[in-house]
Amino acid sequence: MLKQIEGSQGMAEAIALCRPQVICAYPITPQTHIVEGLGAMVKDGRLQGCEYINVESEFGAMSVAIGASAGGARAYTATASQGLLFMAEAVYNAAGLGLPIVMTLGNRAIGAPINIWNDHSDAMALKDAGWIQLYAETNQEAADLHIQAFRIAEELSCPVMVCVDGFILTHAFERIDLPTQEEVDRFLPPYVPVQQLDPDNPYSIGAMVGPEAFTEVRYLGHQKHIDALEVIPRVADEFRAAFGREAGGLIRPYRLEGAETVLVALGSINGTIKDVVDAERERGVKAGAISICSFRPFPLAELNEALSGAKRVVCIEKSLSPGLGGVLASNLRMALRGHAVPVYTVIAGLGGRPILRSGIAGVIEAAGRDALDDITFLDLNRSAVEGQLTRAAGLRESGPIAENLLKALNPGLVHRVSPRRAGE
Amino acid sequence: MNDQAETGGQRVRFYQTGTHTVGNRLMDAATRTVQSSIDRSNAITSGHRACQGCGEALGARYALDAAMRAAGGRMVAVNATGCLEVFTTPYPETSWQIAWLHSVFGNAPAVATGVAAAMRATGRTDVRVVAQGGDGGTTDIGFGCLSGMFERNDDVLYICYDNEAYMNTGVQRSSATPAFARTATTPAVGPHPGNVFGTGKNLPRIAMAHEIPYVATASVADLHDLEAKVTRAMAIGGARYIHIMVPCPLGWGSASQDTIKLARLAVESGLFPLFEAEHGDVTAVKTIRHQVPVEAYLRPQKRFAHLFREGHEDHQTLAAIQAMADANIRRYGLLGEGKA
Ligand SMILES: Cc1ncc(C[n+]2csc(CCOP(=O)(O)OP(=O)(O)O)c2C)c(N)n1
Ligand code: SF4
Ligand SMILES: [Mg+2]
């Protein structure tokens, strides 16, 4: 059924259709509307057979999900940013225990400086936790990926993180086609755990594994991701057959025929990128794009093949690995073995800065002249950072970068703390 | 004291210790301990790797066997990281004969909440959930999750095995470490050796402040009492908390054969009061027949050796510890009606 609703509500409804049995909720922008929506559905009886638990922290949220999943229930939670880091230890643990938890990550920057807006720093921080990471391009896909996520997670006994861009997707009102309960029930059978806590068949789960077996356990965890490279596209195919639309899969190439400059990105920015590619193609510029849906597992072979004709690859990245540059680009270089193709990083959209079509067009133009640096910060306020660097070169300043920058930008704004008067 | 009693027409001699301990042989079958029963669950079976005389191994075994009996075997246990977890599950071996899950150090209460929710959601409402952790896992790193579980009144019995330090990592101070005790991070050096006086937290009382249905303290020195409290806790729904003192020969620097004796002296000195509370109010205390001076409890433990240096006994500190015991005796009326 078509509905004009907020992305978070669309996701909440899609998640409810998956019949989660335990939902753990803790507020953090921009994810909160999803768990609020689910809470209302549990409370008014639309979502039956579900335990909705208001936990005391994100660490608690993931921990409750771990217990619930190990106890044989379909478990779901959602978080973002600081919340993901707060639960980090349990996030790794869920993957290590092979628990098919599904979590929405409303992608948001990580502080300091604190920032509630969108980028991918949170997801990147935990990219190696053993979770499958799927990125949604649109609100429709955000809803659909959750339905696929439970299938993938439960088939592989591996947790799945559905990454949705904060605000851009979570808070945007769009037309979303929501399937019926019967349709989802046909696609997603009830959860049958492979191993669960059961007094009739007692297992010890979560034992201490030493050097003699740890490598093997990790190898097998890696192998789940290798298997996921087959499962994810298969589930996307089945989804298309069942619901009649595209969602998920490993990668989505766009206008790659004869493309010389190929932009690669994760998530919602691909919409803008495709618009720019269309415009460039109109002008005769041979541009193309790839939207990566599955960042973990990373589809090395598919990317290698899709990029075989490219002259240059530009990663538009919403995160930064300080001291290295772009995480996506460094991953992508591994996919390009055998191709002598330069891979550029464009850091864009950090902390919610809008990525404009003009900015992307400029990147394509510079790339076409092979004039891009290895790493470019899109729309960087050069005079601000250079002023600060010059000041810092003369005067060693410790302390918060954001506040130091403010001093340079507007010295009048800096509060001077007056020495306390005696007796105060 | 030597005494005699009637059991099934047979006169048997027994030795009654200074407390109210009574041997199983003297009791009718129904009131005998779970531990003495051949059909106990053996939740933790032999072959684990605890140190000799480990109070935690005893306490966990007593508590879980009693809980298993109370739950009719329909039980799942969740464990925080710590000695108990490490010594029972050196992969690929396990000492657990019950369904058991370990996630991480600080989340056992939340994991247990999740297991209980799963049992409800999947229609297995008869399955009970017990969570357990050491004092560090409970009073420090797991405290937020524990308070959340209490506050929501989740259907979980949480058991803290209090050996008064982070033992698994080599005896570091926790917020349950007693004043003046030597640990690896509160060494017995300098002008104020050992753990700082006036620090630490009293978790049973914090649990009571949540007004949960049941809170109790117990000791491995009093098996009947411990089992009775676990059994009572298992008969109630909602969040329940039992704090069991479990001496640790390695961390306390005590002889492995003294574990029960020290646990008993902790109670008899008044340093570790045994009580029960319901919905925030103390409902029962275990009285002490003869109060022993704290010195009797402290002296056999090397972690307090700096208080008893030859010719330099620290009378001031001993008096401070004695005052703590006396305060407990007054607060809980441990000497019985009208005696303090
Ligand atoms: C997050 C985290 N921090 C620290 C540790 C290290 N650690 C493991 S067990 C332990 C001590 C446990 O102490 P306690 O809870 O008192 O249990 P005990 O071993 O004394 O029974 C510590 C500090 C850990 N595993 N995880
Ligand atoms: S260190 Fe202490 S708690 Fe740990 S196994 Fe040894 S005696 Fe038991
Ligand atoms: Mg301890």
Side-chain angles (χ1 to χ4, degrees):
Chain A
M1 188 177 53
L2 286 172
K3 279 189 179 178
Q4 180 76 17
I5 49 173
E6 191 201 37
S8 293
Q9 289 306 322
M11 283 182 256
E13 296 209 10
I15 292 154
L17 290 169
C18 297
R19 300 187 189 276
Q21 292 165 299
V22 177
I23 293 174
C24 320
Y26 194 83
I28 182 166
T29 304
Q31 149 283 141
T32 314
H33 292 180
I34 303 172
V35 290
E36 286 174 359
L38 286 163
M41 284 185 258
V42 173
K43 197 117 179 128
D44 70 16
R46 272 178 291 162
L47 177 49
Q48 299 269 330
C50 179
E51 298 282 325
Y52 185 86
I53 301 175
N54 280 293
V55 287
E56 69 291 333
S57 72
E58 288 88 353
F59 179 61
M62 184 48 63
S63 302
V64 171
I66 286 169
S69 188
R74 184 173 282 165
Y76 169 83
T77 189
T79 191
S81 179
Q82 317 291 136
L84 184 70
L85 296 197
F86 201 81
M87 63 163 69
E89 187 193 14
V91 173
Y92 270 76
N93 190 255
L97 293 175
L99 298 173
I101 298 164
V102 170
M103 172 163 70
T104 313
L105 185 67
N107 294 107
R108 163 180 157 180
I110 289 170
I114 189 164
N115 175 299
I116 63 165
W117 292 279
N118 167 245
D119 72 28
H120 290 164
S121 310
D122 49 6
M124 290 297 147
L126 288 200
K127 68 184 192 310
D128 301 323
W131 285 57
I132 289 170
Q133 273 193 355
L134 305 178
Y135 286 74
E137 218 180 290
T138 63
N139 274 350
Q140 181 66 58
E141 190 176 35
D144 293 344
L145 278 183
H146 284 92
I147 300 169
Q148 298 189 14
F150 284 102
R151 271 281 303 270
I152 296 164
E154 289 167 16
E155 182 164 340
L156 291 163
S157 272
C158 181
V160 176
M161 202 182 288
V162 181
C163 300
V164 298
D165 283 315
F167 293 107
I168 299 168
L169 295 183
T170 56
H171 286 56
F173 279 73
E174 273 184 1
R175 201 180 64 162
I176 301 178
D177 192 357
L178 287 164
T180 63
Q181 186 66 65
E182 296 68 43
E183 286 172 320
V184 175
D185 286 348
R186 270 198 299 277
F187 182 78
L188 178 66
Y191 172 42
V192 182
V194 273
Q195 186 189 60
Q196 64 172 318
L197 293 164
D198 178 4
D200 295 327
N201 191 10
Y203 279 101
S204 296
I205 303 177
M208 167 132 185
V209 176
E212 63 286 351
F214 198 81
T215 303
E216 287 68 23
V217 173
R218 281 288 170 268
Y219 175 87
L220 294 169
H222 176 60
Q223 194 58 42
K224 282 190 189 190
H225 277 247
I226 302 306
D227 294 347
L229 290 169
E230 179 268 318
V231 174
I232 292 168
R234 171 160 52 73
V235 170
D237 287 345
E238 288 175 34
F239 186 89
R240 190 194 314 103
F243 299 94
R245 61 177 172 269
E246 297 282 342
L250 297 171
I251 62 170
R252 265 191 303 277
Y254 187 73
R255 302 191 79 166
L256 286 189
E257 341 58 75
E260 293 178 348
T261 301
V262 179
L263 305 189
V264 182
L266 303 164
S268 64
I269 189 57
N270 282 292
T272 313
I273 290 175
K274 285 181 198 168
D275 285 349
V276 177
V277 166
D278 287 344
E280 293 298 313
R281 285 276 179 168
E282 287 280 295
R283 302 197 304 119
V285 176
K286 291 182 180 147
I290 296 176
S291 168
I292 296 182
C293 178
S294 169
F295 185 65
R296 285 291 180 274
F298 196 68
L300 292 171
E302 290 72 13
L303 285 164
N304 183 292
E305 161 142 29
L307 289 168
S308 59
K311 289 219 171 110
R312 59 195 78 82
V313 179
V314 183
C315 296
I316 310 286
E317 308 205 36
K318 288 186 177 183
S319 73
L320 171 69
S321 171
L324 172 70
V327 179
L328 178 57
S330 67
N331 280 231
L332 203 69
R333 284 189 190 104
M334 198 169 158
L336 283 172
R337 262 172 313 177
H339 301 308
V341 179
V343 178
Y344 302 105
T345 293
V346 174
I347 304 292
L350 294 189
R353 177 164 301 185
I355 305 176
L356 303 179
R357 276 191 285 193
S358 56
I360 295 173
V363 165
I364 294 177
E365 189 272 324
R369 292 187 283 115
D370 284 316
L372 273 184
D373 289 334
D374 273 351
I375 172 165
T376 304
F377 287 78
L378 194 67
D379 291 340
L380 181 71
N381 182 340
R382 287 238 157 251
S383 76
V385 294
E386 270 157 18
Q388 173 64 15
L389 289 173
T390 314
R391 270 165 37 81
L395 151 87
R396 256 181 66 89
E397 241 176 352
S398 60
I401 297 172
E403 284 73 10
N404 286 343
L405 185 65
L406 201 61
K407 284 188 218 164
L409 286 179
N410 195 342
L413 274 182
V414 177
H415 294 282
R416 272 183 214 296
V417 180
S418 53
R420 284 178 163 219
R421 270 171 291 154
E424 206 175 54
Chain B
M1 161 177 77
N2 281 309
D3 210 336
Q4 297 192 327
E6 204 76 52
T7 53
Q10 198 187 1
R11 288 179 74 77
V12 286
R13 293 178 66 80
F14 68 95
Y15 176 78
Q16 186 168 6
T17 61
T19 65
H20 300 273
T21 312
V22 175
N24 267 301
R25 292 173 295 136
L26 305 170
M27 313 190 85
D28 55 86
T31 42
R32 287 181 190 174
T33 59
V34 176
Q35 217 35 236
S36 68
S37 154
I38 190 123
D39 54 39
R40 65 180 180 226
S41 63
N42 278 327
I44 308 174
T45 194
S46 56
H48 60 70
R49 298 177 183 187
C51 309
Q52 204 172 51
C54 174
E56 187 163 285
L58 273 182
R61 180 185 173 83
Y62 293 168
L64 292 189
D65 282 350
M68 275 292 279
R69 172 179 285 186
R74 309 290 295 155
M75 194 179 100
V76 171
V78 173
N79 218 124
T81 312
C83 272
L84 178 61
E85 168 259 331
V86 171
F87 72 61
T88 53
T89 56
Y91 183 86
E93 293 148 22
T94 178
S95 305
W96 296 98
Q97 307 214 77
I98 61 176
W100 181 91
L101 171 66
H102 161 252
S103 173
V104 299
F105 189 18
N107 69 357
V111 172
T113 290
V115 175
M119 294 303 152
R120 276 196 306 279
T122 55
R124 291 170 287 168
T125 44
D126 60 325
V127 177
R128 307 303 302 280
V129 182
V130 173
Q132 43 186 356
D135 50 290
T138 305
T139 68
D140 290 334
I141 200 165
F143 185 66
C145 285
L146 185 67
S147 178
M149 187 276 278
F150 285 164
E151 165 277 311
R152 291 185 302 265
N153 199 24
D154 294 331
D155 191 20
V156 172
L157 167 60
Y158 189 96
I159 302 173
C160 170
Y161 304 109
D162 182 6
N163 51 24
E164 303 189 329
Y166 291 98
M167 296 313 179
N168 185 54
T169 36
V171 199
Q172 294 83 20
R173 177 203 183 270
S174 79
S175 63
T177 299
F180 309 110
R182 178 201 70 191
T183 69
T185 51
T186 55
V189 295
H192 303 289
N195 191 29
V196 180
F197 180 73
T199 60
K201 59 176 107 158
N202 184 330
L203 211 78
R205 294 186 73 81
I206 296 172
M208 285 166 60
H210 290 75
E211 304 199 352
I212 56 176
Y214 188 75
V215 173
T217 59
S219 165
V220 283
D222 194 335
L223 179 55
H224 280 282
D225 182 65
L226 188 159
E227 289 188 352
K229 285 169 174 169
V230 171
T231 306
R232 204 160 302 146
M234 291 297 286
I236 304 171
R240 291 141 290 145
Y241 179 73
I242 299 183
H243 190 106
I244 305 178
M245 180 188 247
V246 291
C248 162
L250 183 119
W252 294 13
S254 55
S256 50
Q257 71 272 20
D258 282 351
T259 292
I260 301 295
K261 181 172 122 188
L262 286 172
R264 187 164 59 237
L265 290 170
V267 172
E268 290 180 345
S269 62
L271 283 173
F272 190 77
L274 295 183
F275 64 92
E276 293 173 280
E278 290 173 29
H279 300 288
D281 295 321
V282 174
T283 51
V285 299
K286 191 101 175 126
T287 52
I288 301 168
R289 190 175 291 175
H290 306 292
Q291 184 187 0
V292 299
V294 293
E295 190 180 332
Y297 166 68
L298 301 171
R299 204 180 259 282
Q301 306 180 45
K302 289 205 187 77
R303 63 176 173 158
F304 294 112
H306 51 284
L307 307 182
F308 301 102
R309 262 180 229 132
E310 196 69 51
H312 299 280
E313 288 201 2
D314 188 344
H315 298 290
Q316 207 183 333
T317 297
L318 284 173
I321 300 175
Q322 186 62 54
M324 286 159 52
D326 294 344
N328 278 338
I329 285 173
R330 279 194 303 277
R331 176 183 259 174
Y332 296 97
L334 295 178
L335 293 180
E337 218 47 50
K339 291 188 249 170

